[in-house]
Amino acid sequence: MKTKSLLLTAALALAAIAPAATAQTNRTDKVETKEQRDARMAWWREAKFGMFIHWGVYSVPAGFYHDKPVPGIGEWIMNRGKIPMAEYQAFAKQFNPVKFDADAWVKTASDAGMKYIVITSKHHDGFAMFETQASPWNIVQATPYGKDPLKDLAAACRKYGIKLGFYYSQAQDWNNGGAAAGGKWDPAQKHDMDDYIDKIAVPQVKEILSNYGEFPAVLWWDTPHDMNYARAKKLYDAVQQLRPDIIMNNRLGGGFKGDTETPEQKIPAKGFPGRDWETCMTLNNTWGFKRDDNNWKSTATLIHNLCDIASKGGNYLLNVGPTSEGLIPAPSIERLAEVGAWMKVNGEAIYGTTATPFGSELGAAVKAKDGYGHDTTVSSGNDWRCTTKPGKIYPMIFNWPTTGKFELPGLQSKVTKAYLLADHKDLTFTQTDAGVTLDLPAEAPDKIASVICVEIADDTAKVAPQK
Ligand code: GLC
């Protein structure tokens, strides 16, 4: 009897801690069950495609210092050009974005098929693009513009049903005494890091979490230079206290894993199985506006990237760098409109989908360079990509077959119906033990990526492993 009740007690005790076993148990991260996490991540997993906006004082020099181009990404100009604080701060007097139209920006994102926006509330130059009591180095007090553009963006996002997130450079801050990658270059920057965390970073994070209604939905940290557990924990606690349901990326530092992996300027060959992830990428070479950067990606590249990322289970956060007048560069707007036209027809294959049930179409992981010239790996297969949602699979074909046939390698689930998203007309097909072959029209309906919806009798596609 005694043993029995002891066993029972032990079993009950085990049952009580069971949820914790499936939750994230890292002491520095949220402890929650899989169900809680799924609920918290649901809108973001549905969204798949977002707009990154890098906007700040760096759009004034726009890549040039004393009439000379400063190499590298535009928002780093103060650091790369070793510009003294006083000189850099003078740029704010020319920052007067009178052409800024929050409604137009959000409409551009929405028309592109994007479902969320993440904007730099403060980048490494420490300039707050919002009203803040913590430092006079902000758009309301230091510029002739004198208004908080994030307020307008929040209102426009509300109108268009777009989620708004804030990027916040928590560690590097070259004007308020935070860290500086590569070391400081102006004696005026000398400052205690903990004092900066307490007097600037924590109060400002509280402000951006409190002053924009239901937003931000995402907090996007960056470059955790000189972060340690104690510093990161102060920021993390402020967030949990004010907005426990927010989605944070993995760049806080101090050992915090966050919710999302953030590969930058690259699409990993295999994605991050078991982790939420988001590739952030520029439309040209820079995040913040540079007037001489015209290296725009083609619309085909953007659509292929979106398909590639979705087929590996990730999100695509695509950047625009508006000018100091408040305009998104025209080449960005043109390309986003073209992506939007594709999404209008084919978005069903992107939103709310998960990674390919096949995988053989990705080919091998081959060595490549990312947008910064660093080593990475990409998928060698370039003919097609695929996504899925319950009862459906979506082959997205880049290279239209000249044979009039398209094979779904090893698909075992019974196909009940197949059609192009472009016209919804039934396609004929043959199904054998080896897989399914679809009969295609001679011409691709879309030169960049034509999408087929294949309806299957199973919720999750059964696929025989391919060699
Ligand atoms: C970085 C850079 C940066 C940019 C960003 C976007 O690591 O420091 O300027 O904001 O990542 O991912």
Side-chain angles (χ1 to χ4, degrees), residues 183-402:
K184 297 185 174 177
W185 54 90
D186 177 351
Q189 289 173 310
K190 203 169 154 354
H191 198 93
D192 177 67
M193 181 74 177
D194 289 301
D195 191 65
Y196 155 77
I197 293 286
D198 291 340
K199 304 228 176 81
I200 304 289
V202 171
Q204 286 194 336
V205 163
K206 287 185 177 167
E207 286 172 330
I208 60 173
L209 292 175
S210 306
N211 297 341
Y212 301 88
E214 73 277 37
F215 300 134
V218 171
L219 194 43
W220 220 96
W221 310 108
D222 200 12
T223 64
H225 280 271
D226 295 343
M227 281 309 258
N228 55 30
Y229 176 70
R231 291 168 185 161
K233 179 86 164 78
K234 288 181 183 171
L235 293 160
Y236 180 83
D237 285 348
V239 175
Q240 294 311 312
Q241 181 204 337
L242 290 166
R243 241 161 233 280
D245 281 339
I246 209 162
I247 295 171
M248 297 192 336
N249 72 357
N250 63 341
R251 298 188 185 183
L252 174 58
F256 288 86
K257 285 194 340 215
D259 301 308
T260 58
E261 296 297 315
T262 53
E264 183 171 317
Q265 302 287 37
K266 62 186 168 215
I267 303 169
K270 304 284 174 201
F272 292 86
R275 270 290 268 171
D276 290 293
W277 65 278
E278 174 189 66
T279 279
C280 54
M281 202 181 274
T282 50
L283 264 158
N284 47 357
N285 289 344
T286 183
W287 304 93
F289 180 71
K290 279 181 86 166
R291 63 180 151 91
D292 64 342
D293 183 345
N294 290 302
N295 192 23
W296 304 102
K297 292 179 179 67
S298 70
T299 301
T301 296
L302 301 174
I303 291 173
H304 288 169
N305 285 347
L306 181 57
C307 296
D308 190 21
I309 290 165
S311 87
K312 294 165 181 172
N315 281 19
Y316 196 17
L317 187 63
L318 187 56
N319 183 73
V320 297
T323 66
S324 62
E325 284 186 298
L327 296 174
I328 298 175
S332 298
I333 293 184
E334 284 158 25
R335 282 157 181 78
L336 291 176
E338 287 168 3
V339 174
W342 185 88
M343 283 294 273
K344 239 192 164 121
V345 175
N346 302 297
E348 185 188 326
I350 302 293
Y351 301 124
T353 59
T354 52
T356 178
F358 300 103
S360 51
E361 74 278 18
L362 301 176
V366 293
K367 286 195 175 135
K369 297 283 179 198
D370 70 11
Y372 299 121
H374 301 145
D375 290 334
T376 183
T377 55
V378 295
S379 305
S380 65
N382 277 324
D383 289 335
W384 60 290
R385 290 291 183 266
C386 191
T387 56
T388 189
K389 54 175 88 148
K392 289 179 174 171
I393 52 183
Y394 296 100
M396 306 180 279
I397 306 178
F398 302 167
N399 284 331
W400 196 249
T402 50

